[in-house]
Amino acid sequence: RVRKNRFTEFHSLLKLKKGTSKSTVWKNYDVVFSDKSPCGYMQCKSCKILLKYDNKKTGNSPQQRHAKKPSQSYMTSFVQSEKKIPVPKKKKKNNKCVTLCCKDIRPFETVSGKGFIELAQELVNVGATYGRVPANSVTTPKRCHDIAEQKRKELIPQINDILSDASVSMTTDMWTDDYRKIHYMAVTCHYVIPDFKFKARVLATAMFPLEEAKTNENIKHALLKLLVNTLGFEPSNLNKVVWVTDQGANTVLAPRPYRRLNCQDHVLNTVLQHGLDSKELTCEAPDVEETIHNAKSLVKYVKQSCLAPQFPKTVLQVGETRFSTMSLTPNSIQEIYHELHEKLEERRESYRLENIAPDMLQFLVSFLRPFYEAQRELEGDEYPALNLVILWFEKLKQHCQPLSSGTPVQAVVRKVEIHNPHKIALPLWPKCNQLRMLSNHEREEVYSEVCRLIKNFTGAAAEYQHPVQSNVADVDNLPTAAKKARTDFDEWENVHHDEGLDDEVQQYTQKAIMESEQDLLNWWKEHSIVYPKLSMLASSVLCIPASSSERNFSVAGRMIDQWRSVLKPLTIDSILFLNDI
């Protein structure tokens, strides 16, 4: 009999001696001795398994039977290996997941979410350690608040420590509960930790006073109260914070005198709002305006007439406040154009598709797709995106150039503002750090500013006080940078020449090489010894997001529904904070 559970004990306490039997079978076994006497066990040399034997009773039978078995793993591997769950048990587990979703009226994705899987694993661990334990209910609201406060107390000092040496960025978002009409203000912090990892954390979600108007002064007062009094930030450290907000008049003025950048997601939205204005299109491009109008009407009809389930793909309606989604509507119609045509002919309603020509749909999809892709990439808050801003606007400018003067290119030139941090972020992408897309004068200005900032870097973050704004029309050729080479930017990549390497910046611009798919911050981590000052600048500048974070708003919209409309503001704050960890 194999005694696997005794292996550790014997391995540590007993001494192994080679078998002395004349039988050839013993060449593969060692006899276990205790106090110079055999203790009734032997060990297989190949698999290290202990076998119990009594030579007087069984002879060599155990060794021969064991030799005929397939080779077995070491005992430690047996103990550590996961047991295969029997099919009936696995089926019962899956059935319980279905029961949970049905009894508690939860979406099926609940049991595939990260939080549920972590909970289930912890319950399995507890059961494996302590056996059967009662599944008692817990006081979740209070516990939720306690956990959030504990983790927030750990987070704020970390951000304060980063602020002592570098900059961080913050975004704010205001939204209203649809059910109780309570106004909320959320603050998200974006920063790079010393290990060059990009972090974005919701710091707090506070109720905005109902009796106060949303003026810039009231918003500023609420922000300072939340950051200084509630969260405990040092007032002097707020000078190192770069705010990113939308272009609303109140949110533009609220962060003053602190530094502020425009949310590029909202900038692009404004560009398309002006470019796709129905009145202007009616005059400048009536065919385009008619196609957009008819496409919206068709999608609305398909959804209201219950035809949508009969098509292989869903037709998508444009968001009234998200003009970048305009490309989704013609694209969704284009994908099922033939199916739509057949179905409408069956219903004798083919006239609904007559004024939506396939070639015009293709034109709209091709023209609007770059705007959609730019917004998707610039609104990311899990990777550096500031170095993409000017690059994307140059791409969009080139994209619009072949078209008439009435296209959104005029709105691009009129609405986009290039701030100093956008320019500083450009050379921090190693693949395009030579700024070949800039004029010689602009290139020298950017390099001079970078050199000034790293000269005495301990004070660089504090010096970086006020944004230097300029219109895109004043920039001859615009720059580039990227998180990963998702878009084709080859025309602006570096060309290396043999020039004098007088300082860290010159050496970086001439010698730095980055693989196409390499993570930007990971590159700076690997080269922090070679370029120590530039790497510090990178962690301070690349933490600034290109767009303000709206994920807090999105999560809140999914959290507060008609069945959870009585959640207290404190509970909402705790849930949104913990959701972001």
Side-chain angles (χ1 to χ4, degrees):
R1 180 184 174 191
V2 179
R3 299 297 299 273
K4 297 180 179 180
N5 60 334
R6 301 292 298 275
F7 172 70
T8 304
E9 178 183 350
F10 280 111
H11 188 271
S12 59
L13 298 178
L14 304 180
K15 182 178 179 182
L16 301 177
K17 291 187 177 180
K18 293 183 179 180
T20 57
S21 173
K22 294 182 180 180
S23 175
T24 56
V25 74
W26 279 100
K27 67 180 180 180
N28 297 321
Y29 297 90
D30 289 329
V31 178
V32 180
F33 280 73
S34 177
D35 296 329
K36 300 182 180 181
S37 300
C39 60
Y41 286 89
M42 59 184 174
Q43 183 186 50
C44 176
K45 293 181 179 179
S46 60
C47 66
K48 307 300 181 184
I49 285 179
L50 291 177
L51 301 174
K52 188 174 182 180
Y53 86 104
D54 187 338
N55 192 43
K56 295 180 180 179
K57 296 181 180 180
T58 60
N60 298 326
S61 299
Q63 298 94 310
Q64 294 172 354
R65 287 196 300 268
H66 180 69
K68 294 178 181 180
K69 292 182 179 181
S71 60
Q72 301 182 50
S73 61
Y74 284 81
M75 198 65 56
T76 53
S77 300
F78 171 81
V79 174
Q80 295 174 358
S81 63
E82 296 182 359
K83 294 182 179 179
K84 186 177 180 180
I85 302 176
V87 174
K89 287 292 184 182
K90 185 180 292 186
K91 185 177 180 180
K92 185 177 181 180
K93 173 180 69 73
N94 294 338
N95 290 345
K96 287 294 183 182
C97 290
V98 174
T99 303
L100 180 148
C101 296
C102 296
K103 282 195 172 183
D104 294 350
I105 314 298
R106 299 296 179 210
F108 288 113
E109 64 181 12
T110 298
V111 295
S112 61
K114 181 180 178 181
F116 178 83
I117 292 175
E118 290 179 353
L119 169 63
Q121 186 60 58
E122 184 62 25
L123 293 176
V124 170
N125 296 342
V126 170
T129 304
Y130 301 101
R132 290 182 176 271
V133 293
N136 297 328
S137 60
V138 294
T139 311
T140 50
K142 184 180 184 306
R143 185 61 182 157
C144 176
H145 173 64
D146 292 342
I147 295 174
E149 286 306 300
Q150 177 185 351
K151 292 189 176 295
R152 194 154 20 212
K153 288 179 180 178
E154 298 171 357
L155 176 63
I156 301 303
Q158 296 176 14
I159 299 177
N160 267 322
D161 289 343
I162 294 173
L163 277 169
S164 63
D165 297 320
S167 296
V168 304
S169 182
M170 292 187 185
T171 59
T172 183
D173 189 23
M174 299 188 71
W175 48 278
T176 302
D177 173 3
D178 290 335
Y179 297 93
R180 292 192 293 172
K181 304 304 178 184
I182 297 177
H183 305 311
Y184 291 94
M185 170 187 288
V187 176
T188 304
C189 185
H190 307 255
Y191 56 97
V192 175
I193 61 176
D195 195 32
F196 286 88
K197 300 294 183 182
F198 190 91
K199 301 290 183 180
R201 297 287 182 264
V202 174
L203 297 182
T205 304
M207 187 171 65
F208 191 83
L210 292 173
E211 65 279 4
E212 294 185 4
K214 295 179 182 177
T215 64
N216 62 297
E217 288 297 329
N218 289 338
I219 293 176
K220 178 191 290 188
H221 177 74
L223 283 174
L224 291 176
K225 181 180 178 181
L226 180 62
L227 294 173
V228 178
N229 298 345
T230 304
L231 298 178
F233 281 100
E234 293 292 334
S236 58
N237 278 343
L238 296 182
N239 291 323
K240 302 176 184 179
V241 175
V242 179
W243 289 89
V244 179
T245 72
D246 59 34
Q247 294 177 288
N250 53 356
T251 53
V252 168
L253 297 175
R256 290 185 179 179
Y258 306 116
R259 294 165 290 164
R260 191 200 73 85
L261 300 178
N262 286 331
C263 168
Q264 300 307 314
D265 197 30
H266 286 83
V267 169
L268 283 171
N269 209 44
T270 304
V271 166
L272 290 174
Q273 183 179 6
H274 285 272
L276 300 176
D277 181 74
S278 59
K279 293 182 180 179
E280 292 189 15
L281 283 178
T282 301
C283 299
E284 300 290 340
D287 293 344
V288 174
E289 196 283 328
E290 184 181 10
T291 302
I292 293 175
H293 174 76
N294 292 332
K296 290 181 180 179
S297 300
L298 178 60
V299 171
K300 184 177 180 180
Y301 169 75
V302 169
K303 290 184 175 294
Q304 291 180 347
S305 62
C306 301
L307 285 174
Q310 302 181 37
F311 298 111
K313 293 185 178 181
T314 304
V315 287
L316 303 174
Q317 185 63 281
V318 60
E320 293 302 323
T321 59
R322 301 281 292 180
F323 286 86
S324 66
T325 60
M326 178 62 75
S327 65
L328 301 181
T329 298
N331 186 64
S332 65
I333 294 176
Q334 186 184 48
E335 289 179 340
I336 58 171
Y337 188 87
H338 296 294
E339 291 86 347
L340 275 169
H341 187 269
E342 292 177 0
K343 182 60 65 176
L344 291 175
E345 275 196 338
E346 290 178 8
R347 298 168 65 96
R348 298 182 179 179
E349 295 177 340
S350 57
Y351 65 89
R352 297 183 182 275
L353 204 58
E354 288 178 356
N355 294 324
I356 306 177
D359 57 341
M360 186 57 69
L361 280 177
Q362 181 59 46
F363 166 77
L364 284 173
V365 170
S366 300
F367 176 71
L368 294 172
R369 184 180 290 119
F371 290 90
Y372 177 78
E373 292 174 350
Q375 280 196 298
R376 296 289 80 77
E377 197 163 10
L378 292 177
E379 70 184 7
D381 58 2
E382 296 180 355
Y383 53 83
L386 192 70
N387 51 333
L388 292 166
V389 172
I390 303 179
L391 168 66
W392 264 116
F393 279 110
E394 174 63 9
K395 276 287 185 183
L396 294 176
K397 180 181 176 182
Q398 293 180 353
H399 176 65
C400 295
Q401 276 178 351
L403 304 174
S404 65
S405 59
T407 62
V409 67
Q410 290 183 333
V412 172
V413 175
R414 185 168 61 249
K415 292 294 179 181
V416 176
E417 289 182 330
I418 301 303
H419 298 256
N420 221 30
H422 298 142
K423 295 181 179 181
I424 299 302
L426 289 173
L428 296 177
W429 186 38
K431 288 179 68 67
C432 294
N433 58 25
Q434 294 178 5
L435 307 180
R436 296 176 57 214
M437 64 299 300
L438 288 177
S439 67
N440 291 334
H441 175 69
E442 290 163 341
R443 189 181 302 119
E444 291 303 318
E445 280 189 341
V446 173
Y447 287 150
S448 296
E449 180 66 7
V450 170
C451 291
R452 185 186 71 83
L453 289 172
I454 69 173
K455 185 176 181 180
N456 299 304
F457 191 80
T458 54
E463 289 180 43
Y464 217 21
Q465 292 292 331
H466 303 289
V468 179
Q469 301 181 3
S470 65
N471 195 287
V472 174
D474 299 328
V475 181
D476 295 335
N477 297 297
L478 296 179
T480 99
K483 140 185 106 78
K484 290 183 179 178
R486 295 181 180 179
T487 313
D488 182 11
F489 301 141
D490 293 346
E491 60 185 297
W492 296 311
E493 288 189 10
N494 296 336
V495 175
H496 295 280
H497 302 285
D498 293 329
E499 296 182 3
L501 305 180
D502 298 331
D503 55 22
E504 187 175 318
V505 175
Q506 285 187 329
Q507 181 179 356
Y508 165 68
T509 58
Q510 292 302 314
K511 296 297 183 181
I513 297 176
M514 180 180 182
E515 299 296 330
S516 296
E517 298 301 320
Q518 188 172 2
D519 179 78
L520 179 54
L521 286 177
N522 189 54
W523 188 94
W524 281 109
K525 176 184 177 181
E526 294 176 356
H527 294 80
S528 58
I529 297 178
V530 181
Y531 311 113
K533 293 184 178 180
L534 282 172
S535 63
M536 294 174 68
L537 180 64
S539 65
S540 287
V541 174
L542 296 178
C543 70
I544 305 172
S547 301
S548 59
S549 178
E550 292 189 353
R551 58 178 172 167
N552 199 27
F553 174 79
S554 302
V555 174
R558 289 186 282 116
M559 179 182 65
I560 304 175
D561 54 27
Q562 58 181 330
W563 294 280
R564 306 180 76 189
S565 60
V566 296
L567 284 174
K568 296 180 179 179
L570 187 62
T571 305
I572 292 174
D573 172 40
S574 300
I575 292 175
L576 293 177
F577 177 79
L578 293 176
N579 174 263
D580 203 43
I581 293 180

PDB file of all heavy atoms in Angstrom, residues 142-164:
ATOM      1  N   LYS A 142     -22.427  49.084   6.208  1.00  0.00           N
ATOM      2  CA  LYS A 142     -21.451  49.627   7.157  1.00  0.00           C
ATOM      3  C   LYS A 142     -20.066  49.087   6.868  1.00  0.00           C
ATOM      4  O   LYS A 142     -19.077  49.820   6.924  1.00  0.00           O
ATOM      5  CB  LYS A 142     -21.866  49.281   8.585  1.00  0.00           C
ATOM      6  CG  LYS A 142     -20.945  49.897   9.646  1.00  0.00           C
ATOM      7  CD  LYS A 142     -21.402  49.526  11.034  1.00  0.00           C
ATOM      8  CE  LYS A 142     -20.524  50.229  12.095  1.00  0.00           C
ATOM      9  NZ  LYS A 142     -19.095  49.976  11.905  1.00  0.00           N
ATOM     10  N   ARG A 143     -19.988  47.807   6.570  1.00  0.00           N
ATOM     11  CA  ARG A 143     -18.691  47.220   6.264  1.00  0.00           C
ATOM     12  C   ARG A 143     -18.103  47.847   5.012  1.00  0.00           C
ATOM     13  O   ARG A 143     -16.893  48.064   4.918  1.00  0.00           O
ATOM     14  CB  ARG A 143     -18.850  45.704   6.078  1.00  0.00           C
ATOM     15  CG  ARG A 143     -17.538  44.962   5.870  1.00  0.00           C
ATOM     16  CD  ARG A 143     -16.617  45.130   7.050  1.00  0.00           C
ATOM     17  NE  ARG A 143     -15.353  44.467   6.845  1.00  0.00           N
ATOM     18  CZ  ARG A 143     -14.237  44.780   7.467  1.00  0.00           C
ATOM     19  NH1 ARG A 143     -14.224  45.789   8.339  1.00  0.00           N
ATOM     20  NH2 ARG A 143     -13.129  44.119   7.241  1.00  0.00           N
ATOM     21  N   CYS A 144     -18.939  48.140   4.034  1.00  0.00           N
ATOM     22  CA  CYS A 144     -18.494  48.802   2.800  1.00  0.00           C
ATOM     23  C   CYS A 144     -17.856  50.150   3.122  1.00  0.00           C
ATOM     24  O   CYS A 144     -16.786  50.484   2.604  1.00  0.00           O
ATOM     25  CB  CYS A 144     -19.672  48.969   1.856  1.00  0.00           C
ATOM     26  SG  CYS A 144     -19.295  49.859   0.337  1.00  0.00           S
ATOM     27  N   HIS A 145     -18.519  50.914   3.996  1.00  0.00           N
ATOM     28  CA  HIS A 145     -17.983  52.234   4.373  1.00  0.00           C
ATOM     29  C   HIS A 145     -16.660  52.089   5.120  1.00  0.00           C
ATOM     30  O   HIS A 145     -15.704  52.840   4.870  1.00  0.00           O
ATOM     31  CB  HIS A 145     -18.998  52.973   5.236  1.00  0.00           C
ATOM     32  CG  HIS A 145     -18.491  54.255   5.806  1.00  0.00           C
ATOM     33  ND1 HIS A 145     -18.123  55.334   5.026  1.00  0.00           N
ATOM     34  CD2 HIS A 145     -18.265  54.642   7.100  1.00  0.00           C
ATOM     35  CE1 HIS A 145     -17.700  56.322   5.789  1.00  0.00           C
ATOM     36  NE2 HIS A 145     -17.775  55.925   7.049  1.00  0.00           N
ATOM     37  N   ASP A 146     -16.582  51.112   6.041  1.00  0.00           N
ATOM     38  CA  ASP A 146     -15.354  50.927   6.826  1.00  0.00           C
ATOM     39  C   ASP A 146     -14.173  50.547   5.931  1.00  0.00           C
ATOM     40  O   ASP A 146     -13.065  51.070   6.096  1.00  0.00           O
ATOM     41  CB  ASP A 146     -15.575  49.837   7.887  1.00  0.00           C
ATOM     42  CG  ASP A 146     -16.567  50.269   8.957  1.00  0.00           C
ATOM     43  OD1 ASP A 146     -16.808  51.489   9.077  1.00  0.00           O
ATOM     44  OD2 ASP A 146     -17.111  49.393   9.653  1.00  0.00           O
ATOM     45  N   ILE A 147     -14.415  49.638   4.976  1.00  0.00           N
ATOM     46  CA  ILE A 147     -13.336  49.218   4.078  1.00  0.00           C
ATOM     47  C   ILE A 147     -12.883  50.385   3.217  1.00  0.00           C
ATOM     48  O   ILE A 147     -11.681  50.605   3.009  1.00  0.00           O
ATOM     49  CB  ILE A 147     -13.801  48.046   3.196  1.00  0.00           C
ATOM     50  CG1 ILE A 147     -14.092  46.813   4.055  1.00  0.00           C
ATOM     51  CG2 ILE A 147     -12.749  47.715   2.135  1.00  0.00           C
ATOM     52  CD1 ILE A 147     -14.682  45.659   3.277  1.00  0.00           C
ATOM     53  N   ALA A 148     -13.852  51.169   2.708  1.00  0.00           N
ATOM     54  CA  ALA A 148     -13.507  52.307   1.862  1.00  0.00           C
ATOM     55  C   ALA A 148     -12.669  53.320   2.635  1.00  0.00           C
ATOM     56  O   ALA A 148     -11.667  53.844   2.111  1.00  0.00           O
ATOM     57  CB  ALA A 148     -14.778  52.969   1.332  1.00  0.00           C
ATOM     58  N   GLU A 149     -13.041  53.617   3.859  1.00  0.00           N
ATOM     59  CA  GLU A 149     -12.291  54.586   4.652  1.00  0.00           C
ATOM     60  C   GLU A 149     -10.889  54.087   4.962  1.00  0.00           C
ATOM     61  O   GLU A 149      -9.921  54.850   4.929  1.00  0.00           O
ATOM     62  CB  GLU A 149     -13.047  54.896   5.951  1.00  0.00           C
ATOM     63  CG  GLU A 149     -14.265  55.770   5.753  1.00  0.00           C
ATOM     64  CD  GLU A 149     -13.924  57.054   5.016  1.00  0.00           C
ATOM     65  OE1 GLU A 149     -13.084  57.837   5.513  1.00  0.00           O
ATOM     66  OE2 GLU A 149     -14.479  57.267   3.915  1.00  0.00           O
ATOM     67  N   GLN A 150     -10.782  52.809   5.252  1.00  0.00           N
ATOM     68  CA  GLN A 150      -9.463  52.246   5.556  1.00  0.00           C
ATOM     69  C   GLN A 150      -8.538  52.330   4.339  1.00  0.00           C
ATOM     70  O   GLN A 150      -7.383  52.758   4.443  1.00  0.00           O
ATOM     71  CB  GLN A 150      -9.617  50.786   5.992  1.00  0.00           C
ATOM     72  CG  GLN A 150      -8.286  50.081   6.266  1.00  0.00           C
ATOM     73  CD  GLN A 150      -8.467  48.609   6.573  1.00  0.00           C
ATOM     74  OE1 GLN A 150      -9.581  48.134   6.747  1.00  0.00           O
ATOM     75  NE2 GLN A 150      -7.364  47.883   6.614  1.00  0.00           N
ATOM     76  N   LYS A 151      -9.049  51.946   3.190  1.00  0.00           N
ATOM     77  CA  LYS A 151      -8.234  51.974   1.980  1.00  0.00           C
ATOM     78  C   LYS A 151      -7.951  53.403   1.530  1.00  0.00           C
ATOM     79  O   LYS A 151      -6.897  53.695   0.970  1.00  0.00           O
ATOM     80  CB  LYS A 151      -8.915  51.177   0.870  1.00  0.00           C
ATOM     81  CG  LYS A 151      -8.959  49.679   1.147  1.00  0.00           C
ATOM     82  CD  LYS A 151      -9.445  48.903  -0.046  1.00  0.00           C
ATOM     83  CE  LYS A 151      -9.393  47.399   0.233  1.00  0.00           C
ATOM     84  NZ  LYS A 151      -8.004  46.927   0.418  1.00  0.00           N
ATOM     85  N   ARG A 152      -8.888  54.326   1.779  1.00  0.00           N
ATOM     86  CA  ARG A 152      -8.669  55.719   1.403  1.00  0.00           C
ATOM     87  C   ARG A 152      -7.563  56.326   2.276  1.00  0.00           C
ATOM     88  O   ARG A 152      -6.749  57.124   1.801  1.00  0.00           O
ATOM     89  CB  ARG A 152      -9.970  56.504   1.541  1.00  0.00           C
ATOM     90  CG  ARG A 152      -9.908  57.842   0.861  1.00  0.00           C
ATOM     91  CD  ARG A 152     -11.233  58.383   0.419  1.00  0.00           C
ATOM     92  NE  ARG A 152     -12.409  57.855   1.031  1.00  0.00           N
ATOM     93  CZ  ARG A 152     -13.575  57.744   0.394  1.00  0.00           C
ATOM     94  NH1 ARG A 152     -13.671  58.125  -0.862  1.00  0.00           N
ATOM     95  NH2 ARG A 152     -14.630  57.262   0.999  1.00  0.00           N
ATOM     96  N   LYS A 153      -7.531  55.956   3.548  1.00  0.00           N
ATOM     97  CA  LYS A 153      -6.480  56.452   4.439  1.00  0.00           C
ATOM     98  C   LYS A 153      -5.103  55.938   4.018  1.00  0.00           C
ATOM     99  O   LYS A 153      -4.090  56.570   4.294  1.00  0.00           O
ATOM    100  CB  LYS A 153      -6.778  56.033   5.880  1.00  0.00           C
ATOM    101  CG  LYS A 153      -7.940  56.789   6.508  1.00  0.00           C
ATOM    102  CD  LYS A 153      -8.203  56.323   7.927  1.00  0.00           C
ATOM    103  CE  LYS A 153      -9.371  57.087   8.555  1.00  0.00           C
ATOM    104  NZ  LYS A 153      -9.683  56.607   9.926  1.00  0.00           N
ATOM    105  N   GLU A 154      -5.071  54.776   3.366  1.00  0.00           N
ATOM    106  CA  GLU A 154      -3.800  54.249   2.859  1.00  0.00           C
ATOM    107  C   GLU A 154      -3.401  54.926   1.546  1.00  0.00           C
ATOM    108  O   GLU A 154      -2.217  55.086   1.256  1.00  0.00           O
ATOM    109  CB  GLU A 154      -3.920  52.736   2.645  1.00  0.00           C
ATOM    110  CG  GLU A 154      -4.197  51.953   3.921  1.00  0.00           C
ATOM    111  CD  GLU A 154      -4.520  50.494   3.640  1.00  0.00           C
ATOM    112  OE1 GLU A 154      -4.582  50.123   2.443  1.00  0.00           O
ATOM    113  OE2 GLU A 154      -4.734  49.732   4.598  1.00  0.00           O
ATOM    114  N   LEU A 155      -4.406  55.337   0.762  1.00  0.00           N
ATOM    115  CA  LEU A 155      -4.134  55.889  -0.560  1.00  0.00           C
ATOM    116  C   LEU A 155      -3.669  57.338  -0.509  1.00  0.00           C
ATOM    117  O   LEU A 155      -2.708  57.716  -1.211  1.00  0.00           O
ATOM    118  CB  LEU A 155      -5.393  55.782  -1.426  1.00  0.00           C
ATOM    119  CG  LEU A 155      -5.325  56.406  -2.830  1.00  0.00           C
ATOM    120  CD1 LEU A 155      -4.274  55.688  -3.680  1.00  0.00           C
ATOM    121  CD2 LEU A 155      -6.681  56.354  -3.501  1.00  0.00           C
ATOM    122  N   ILE A 156      -4.319  58.175   0.283  1.00  0.00           N
ATOM    123  CA  ILE A 156      -4.033  59.613   0.286  1.00  0.00           C
ATOM    124  C   ILE A 156      -2.569  59.900   0.638  1.00  0.00           C
ATOM    125  O   ILE A 156      -1.921  60.715  -0.042  1.00  0.00           O
ATOM    126  CB  ILE A 156      -4.983  60.359   1.227  1.00  0.00           C
ATOM    127  CG1 ILE A 156      -6.431  60.144   0.793  1.00  0.00           C
ATOM    128  CG2 ILE A 156      -4.661  61.843   1.257  1.00  0.00           C
ATOM    129  CD1 ILE A 156      -6.723  60.556  -0.629  1.00  0.00           C
ATOM    130  N   PRO A 157      -1.983  59.288   1.679  1.00  0.00           N
ATOM    131  CA  PRO A 157      -0.559  59.532   1.951  1.00  0.00           C
ATOM    132  C   PRO A 157       0.349  59.154   0.781  1.00  0.00           C
ATOM    133  O   PRO A 157       1.371  59.813   0.545  1.00  0.00           O
ATOM    134  CB  PRO A 157      -0.274  58.653   3.178  1.00  0.00           C
ATOM    135  CG  PRO A 157      -1.597  58.503   3.850  1.00  0.00           C
ATOM    136  CD  PRO A 157      -2.588  58.445   2.738  1.00  0.00           C
ATOM    137  N   GLN A 158      -0.003  58.105   0.041  1.00  0.00           N
ATOM    138  CA  GLN A 158       0.803  57.719  -1.120  1.00  0.00           C
ATOM    139  C   GLN A 158       0.807  58.825  -2.174  1.00  0.00           C
ATOM    140  O   GLN A 158       1.856  59.164  -2.740  1.00  0.00           O
ATOM    141  CB  GLN A 158       0.256  56.424  -1.723  1.00  0.00           C
ATOM    142  CG  GLN A 158       0.351  55.213  -0.814  1.00  0.00           C
ATOM    143  CD  GLN A 158      -0.301  53.989  -1.438  1.00  0.00           C
ATOM    144  OE1 GLN A 158      -0.599  53.958  -2.635  1.00  0.00           O
ATOM    145  NE2 GLN A 158      -0.545  52.968  -0.624  1.00  0.00           N
ATOM    146  N   ILE A 159      -0.367  59.415  -2.408  1.00  0.00           N
ATOM    147  CA  ILE A 159      -0.450  60.494  -3.396  1.00  0.00           C
ATOM    148  C   ILE A 159       0.273  61.734  -2.891  1.00  0.00           C
ATOM    149  O   ILE A 159       0.940  62.438  -3.659  1.00  0.00           O
ATOM    150  CB  ILE A 159      -1.926  60.795  -3.720  1.00  0.00           C
ATOM    151  CG1 ILE A 159      -2.594  59.564  -4.319  1.00  0.00           C
ATOM    152  CG2 ILE A 159      -2.035  61.978  -4.685  1.00  0.00           C
ATOM    153  CD1 ILE A 159      -4.063  59.726  -4.600  1.00  0.00           C
ATOM    154  N   ASN A 160       0.161  62.018  -1.595  1.00  0.00           N
ATOM    155  CA  ASN A 160       0.893  63.157  -1.020  1.00  0.00           C
ATOM    156  C   ASN A 160       2.395  62.977  -1.164  1.00  0.00           C
ATOM    157  O   ASN A 160       3.127  63.943  -1.418  1.00  0.00           O
ATOM    158  CB  ASN A 160       0.517  63.335   0.451  1.00  0.00           C
ATOM    159  CG  ASN A 160      -0.639  64.315   0.646  1.00  0.00           C
ATOM    160  OD1 ASN A 160      -0.736  65.325  -0.048  1.00  0.00           O
ATOM    161  ND2 ASN A 160      -1.520  64.009   1.577  1.00  0.00           N
ATOM    162  N   ASP A 161       2.872  61.751  -1.012  1.00  0.00           N
ATOM    163  CA  ASP A 161       4.302  61.482  -1.180  1.00  0.00           C
ATOM    164  C   ASP A 161       4.735  61.727  -2.621  1.00  0.00           C
ATOM    165  O   ASP A 161       5.815  62.282  -2.873  1.00  0.00           O
ATOM    166  CB  ASP A 161       4.620  60.036  -0.780  1.00  0.00           C
ATOM    167  CG  ASP A 161       4.527  59.816   0.716  1.00  0.00           C
ATOM    168  OD1 ASP A 161       4.531  60.824   1.462  1.00  0.00           O
ATOM    169  OD2 ASP A 161       4.413  58.650   1.149  1.00  0.00           O
ATOM    170  N   ILE A 162       3.904  61.317  -3.568  1.00  0.00           N
ATOM    171  CA  ILE A 162       4.221  61.553  -4.979  1.00  0.00           C
ATOM    172  C   ILE A 162       4.231  63.049  -5.271  1.00  0.00           C
ATOM    173  O   ILE A 162       5.088  63.554  -6.001  1.00  0.00           O
ATOM    174  CB  ILE A 162       3.210  60.823  -5.879  1.00  0.00           C
ATOM    175  CG1 ILE A 162       3.368  59.312  -5.717  1.00  0.00           C
ATOM    176  CG2 ILE A 162       3.389  61.217  -7.345  1.00  0.00           C
ATOM    177  CD1 ILE A 162       2.316  58.500  -6.439  1.00  0.00           C
ATOM    178  N   LEU A 163       3.298  63.793  -4.675  1.00  0.00           N
ATOM    179  CA  LEU A 163       3.221  65.235  -4.888  1.00  0.00           C
ATOM    180  C   LEU A 163       4.437  65.975  -4.339  1.00  0.00           C
ATOM    181  O   LEU A 163       4.752  67.078  -4.783  1.00  0.00           O
ATOM    182  CB  LEU A 163       1.949  65.794  -4.249  1.00  0.00           C
ATOM    183  CG  LEU A 163       0.665  65.676  -5.066  1.00  0.00           C
ATOM    184  CD1 LEU A 163      -0.549  66.019  -4.226  1.00  0.00           C
ATOM    185  CD2 LEU A 163       0.735  66.568  -6.290  1.00  0.00           C
ATOM    186  N   SER A 164       5.105  65.382  -3.385  1.00  0.00           N
ATOM    187  CA  SER A 164       6.284  66.046  -2.825  1.00  0.00           C
ATOM    188  C   SER A 164       7.433  66.093  -3.828  1.00  0.00           C
ATOM    189  O   SER A 164       8.312  66.957  -3.734  1.00  0.00           O
ATOM    190  CB  SER A 164       6.744  65.321  -1.554  1.00  0.00           C
ATOM    191  OG  SER A 164       7.141  63.988  -1.841  1.00  0.00           O
TER     192      SER A 164
END
